[in-house]
Coordinates of all heavy atoms in Angstrom, one line a residue:
G1 N -117.0 -33.8 -88.0 CA -116.8 -32.8 -89.1 C -117.9 -31.7 -89.0 O -117.7 -30.6 -89.2
K2 N -119.2 -32.1 -88.6 CA -120.3 -31.1 -88.5 C -120.1 -30.2 -87.4 O -120.3 -29.1 -87.4 CB -121.6 -32.0 -88.4 CG -122.8 -31.1 -88.3 CD -124.1 -32.0 -88.2 CE -125.3 -31.1 -88.0 NZ -126.6 -31.9 -87.9
I3 N -119.7 -30.8 -86.2 CA -119.7 -30.0 -84.9 C -118.4 -29.3 -84.7 O -118.3 -28.3 -84.1 CB -120.0 -30.9 -83.7 CG1 -121.4 -31.5 -83.9 CG2 -119.9 -30.2 -82.4 CD1 -121.8 -32.5 -82.8
G4 N -117.3 -30.0 -85.3 CA -115.9 -29.4 -85.2 C -115.3 -29.7 -83.9 O -114.4 -28.9 -83.4
E5 N -115.6 -30.8 -83.2 CA -115.1 -31.2 -81.9 C -114.9 -32.7 -81.9 O -115.8 -33.4 -82.3 CB -115.9 -30.7 -80.8 CG -115.3 -30.9 -79.4 CD -116.1 -30.2 -78.3 OE1 -116.3 -29.0 -78.4 OE2 -116.5 -31.0 -77.3
N6 N -113.7 -33.1 -81.4 CA -113.5 -34.6 -81.4 C -114.4 -35.3 -80.3 O -114.8 -34.6 -79.3 CB -112.1 -34.8 -81.0 CG -111.6 -36.3 -81.2 OD1 -112.3 -36.9 -82.0 ND2 -110.6 -36.7 -80.5
M7 N -114.8 -36.5 -80.6 CA -115.5 -37.3 -79.7 C -115.2 -38.8 -79.8 O -114.8 -39.2 -80.9 CB -117.1 -37.0 -79.9 CG -117.5 -37.3 -81.3 SD -119.2 -36.8 -81.7 CE -118.9 -34.9 -81.7
S8 N -115.4 -39.5 -78.7 CA -115.1 -40.8 -78.8 C -115.9 -41.7 -77.8 O -116.4 -41.2 -76.8 CB -113.6 -41.1 -78.4 OG -113.4 -40.6 -77.0
I9 N -116.1 -43.0 -78.2 CA -116.8 -43.9 -77.3 C -115.8 -44.4 -76.3 O -114.8 -45.0 -76.8 CB -117.5 -45.1 -78.1 CG1 -118.5 -44.4 -79.1 CG2 -118.2 -46.0 -77.2 CD1 -119.0 -45.5 -80.1
R10 N -116.0 -44.2 -75.1 CA -115.0 -44.6 -74.1 C -115.2 -46.1 -73.6 O -114.3 -46.8 -73.5 CB -115.0 -43.6 -72.9 CG -113.9 -43.9 -71.9 CD -113.6 -42.8 -70.9 NE -112.6 -43.1 -70.0 CZ -112.7 -43.4 -68.8 NH1 -113.9 -43.4 -68.2 NH2 -111.7 -43.6 -68.0
R11 N -116.5 -46.3 -73.2 CA -116.7 -47.7 -72.6 C -118.2 -47.9 -72.6 O -119.0 -47.0 -72.7 CB -116.1 -47.8 -71.2 CG -116.5 -46.6 -70.3 CD -115.9 -46.7 -69.0 NE -116.3 -45.5 -68.2 CZ -115.9 -45.3 -66.9 NH1 -115.1 -46.3 -66.3 NH2 -116.2 -44.2 -66.3
F12 N -118.6 -49.2 -72.4 CA -120.0 -49.6 -72.2 C -120.1 -50.8 -71.5 O -119.1 -51.7 -71.4 CB -120.7 -49.6 -73.6 CG -120.2 -50.7 -74.5 CD1 -120.5 -52.1 -74.4 CD2 -119.3 -50.3 -75.5 CE1 -120.0 -53.0 -75.3 CE2 -118.8 -51.2 -76.4 CZ -119.1 -52.6 -76.3
V13 N -121.3 -51.1 -70.9 CA -121.6 -52.4 -70.2 C -123.0 -52.8 -70.7 O -123.9 -52.0 -70.7 CB -121.5 -52.2 -68.7 CG1 -121.9 -53.5 -68.0 CG2 -120.1 -51.8 -68.3
R14 N -123.1 -54.1 -70.9 CA -124.5 -54.7 -71.3 C -124.8 -55.6 -70.1 O -124.0 -56.5 -69.7 CB -124.4 -55.4 -72.6 CG -125.6 -56.0 -73.1 CD -125.4 -56.7 -74.4 NE -126.6 -57.1 -75.1 CZ -127.1 -58.3 -75.0 NH1 -126.5 -59.2 -74.1 NH2 -128.2 -58.7 -75.6
V15 N -126.1 -55.5 -69.6 CA -126.5 -56.3 -68.4 C -127.7 -57.1 -68.8 O -128.7 -56.5 -69.3 CB -126.8 -55.3 -67.2 CG1 -127.3 -56.1 -66.1 CG2 -125.6 -54.5 -66.9
E16 N -127.6 -58.4 -68.5 CA -128.8 -59.2 -68.6 C -129.2 -59.6 -67.2 O -128.5 -60.3 -66.4 CB -128.5 -60.6 -69.4 CG -128.1 -60.3 -70.8 CD -127.8 -61.6 -71.6 OE1 -128.2 -62.7 -71.1 OE2 -127.3 -61.5 -72.7
A17 N -130.4 -59.0 -66.8 CA -130.7 -59.0 -65.3 C -131.3 -60.4 -64.9 O -131.9 -61.1 -65.7 CB -131.9 -58.0 -65.2
Q18 N -131.0 -60.7 -63.7 CA -131.6 -61.9 -63.0 C -133.0 -61.5 -62.5 O -133.9 -62.3 -62.3 CB -130.6 -62.4 -61.9 CG -129.3 -62.9 -62.5 CD -128.5 -63.5 -61.4 OE1 -129.0 -63.9 -60.3 NE2 -127.2 -63.5 -61.6
G19 N -133.1 -60.2 -62.0 CA -134.3 -59.7 -61.5 C -134.9 -58.7 -62.5 O -135.3 -59.1 -63.6
G20 N -134.9 -57.5 -62.2 CA -135.3 -56.4 -63.1 C -134.4 -55.2 -63.0 O -133.7 -55.0 -62.0
L21 N -134.3 -54.5 -64.1 CA -133.3 -53.3 -64.2 C -134.0 -52.1 -63.9 O -135.1 -51.7 -64.4 CB -132.7 -53.3 -65.6 CG -131.7 -54.4 -65.9 CD1 -131.2 -54.1 -67.4 CD2 -130.5 -54.3 -65.0
A22 N -133.3 -51.3 -63.0 CA -133.7 -49.9 -62.7 C -132.5 -49.0 -62.9 O -131.4 -49.5 -63.0 CB -134.2 -49.8 -61.3
S23 N -132.7 -47.8 -63.2 CA -131.6 -46.9 -63.5 C -131.8 -45.5 -63.0 O -132.9 -45.2 -62.5 CB -131.6 -46.8 -65.0 OG -132.7 -46.0 -65.6
Y24 N -130.7 -44.8 -62.9 CA -130.7 -43.4 -62.5 C -129.6 -42.7 -63.3 O -128.5 -43.2 -63.4 CB -130.4 -43.2 -61.0 CG -130.3 -41.8 -60.6 CD1 -131.5 -41.0 -60.6 CD2 -129.1 -41.3 -60.2 CE1 -131.4 -39.7 -60.2 CE2 -129.1 -40.0 -59.9 CZ -130.1 -39.2 -59.8 OH -130.1 -37.8 -59.5
L25 N -130.0 -41.5 -63.9 CA -129.0 -40.7 -64.7 C -129.0 -39.3 -64.1 O -130.0 -38.7 -64.0 CB -129.5 -40.7 -66.1 CG -128.5 -40.1 -67.1 CD1 -127.2 -40.8 -67.1 CD2 -129.1 -40.1 -68.5
H26 N -127.8 -38.9 -63.6 CA -127.8 -37.6 -62.9 C -127.0 -36.6 -63.9 O -125.8 -36.8 -64.1 CB -127.0 -37.7 -61.6 CG -126.9 -36.4 -60.9 ND1 -127.9 -35.8 -60.2 CD2 -125.8 -35.6 -60.7 CE1 -127.5 -34.7 -59.7 NE2 -126.2 -34.5 -59.9
G27 N -127.8 -35.7 -64.4 CA -127.1 -34.6 -65.2 C -126.5 -35.1 -66.4 O -125.6 -34.3 -67.0
G28 N -126.6 -36.3 -66.9 CA -126.0 -36.9 -68.0 C -124.5 -37.2 -67.8 O -123.8 -37.7 -68.6
K29 N -124.1 -37.1 -66.5 CA -122.6 -37.3 -66.2 C -122.4 -38.6 -65.3 O -121.4 -39.1 -65.3 CB -122.1 -36.1 -65.4 CG -122.2 -34.8 -66.1 CD -121.4 -34.7 -67.4 CE -121.5 -33.3 -68.0 NZ -120.8 -33.2 -69.3
I30 N -123.4 -38.9 -64.5 CA -123.3 -40.1 -63.7 C -124.5 -41.0 -64.0 O -125.7 -40.6 -63.9 CB -123.4 -39.7 -62.2 CG1 -122.2 -38.8 -61.9 CG2 -123.3 -41.0 -61.3 CD1 -122.2 -38.2 -60.5
G31 N -124.3 -42.2 -64.4 CA -125.3 -43.2 -64.7 C -125.2 -44.5 -63.9 O -124.0 -45.0 -63.7
V32 N -126.3 -45.1 -63.5 CA -126.3 -46.3 -62.7 C -127.4 -47.2 -63.2 O -128.5 -46.8 -63.4 CB -126.6 -46.0 -61.2 CG1 -126.5 -47.3 -60.4 CG2 -125.5 -45.1 -60.6
L33 N -127.0 -48.5 -63.4 CA -128.0 -49.6 -63.6 C -127.9 -50.5 -62.5 O -126.9 -50.9 -62.0 CB -127.6 -50.4 -64.9 CG -128.0 -49.8 -66.3 CD1 -127.5 -50.8 -67.3 CD2 -129.6 -49.8 -66.3
V34 N -129.1 -50.9 -62.0 CA -129.2 -51.8 -60.8 C -130.1 -53.0 -61.2 O -131.2 -52.9 -61.8 CB -129.9 -51.1 -59.6 CG1 -130.1 -52.1 -58.5 CG2 -128.9 -50.0 -59.1
D35 N -129.6 -54.2 -61.0 CA -130.4 -55.4 -61.1 C -130.9 -55.8 -59.7 O -130.2 -56.1 -58.8 CB -129.4 -56.5 -61.6 CG -130.2 -57.8 -61.9 OD1 -131.4 -57.9 -61.6 OD2 -129.5 -58.8 -62.3
I36 N -132.2 -55.7 -59.6 CA -132.9 -55.9 -58.3 C -134.0 -56.9 -58.3 O -134.7 -57.0 -59.3 CB -133.5 -54.5 -57.8 CG1 -133.9 -54.6 -56.4 CG2 -134.6 -54.0 -58.7 CD1 -134.2 -53.3 -55.7

């Protein structure tokens, strides 16, 4: 209502790491989580 444009939550993943989590986000469009 405030912005005047439709939006939706498409999908998500929750990760419990066996090692440690590292991430990379490119331009807000491509995201990666790595359990290393």
Side-chain angles (χ1 to χ4, degrees):
K2 178 181 179 180
I3 297 175
E5 183 169 309
N6 193 25
M7 57 192 70
S8 61
I9 300 171
R10 184 166 185 252
R11 53 184 172 174
F12 61 82
V13 175
R14 183 178 186 270
V15 179
E16 295 183 16
Q18 296 181 23
L21 287 176
S23 67
Y24 176 70
L25 189 60
H26 181 74
K29 304 295 185 183
I30 301 173
V32 179
L33 273 179
V34 173
D35 181 359
I36 189 165

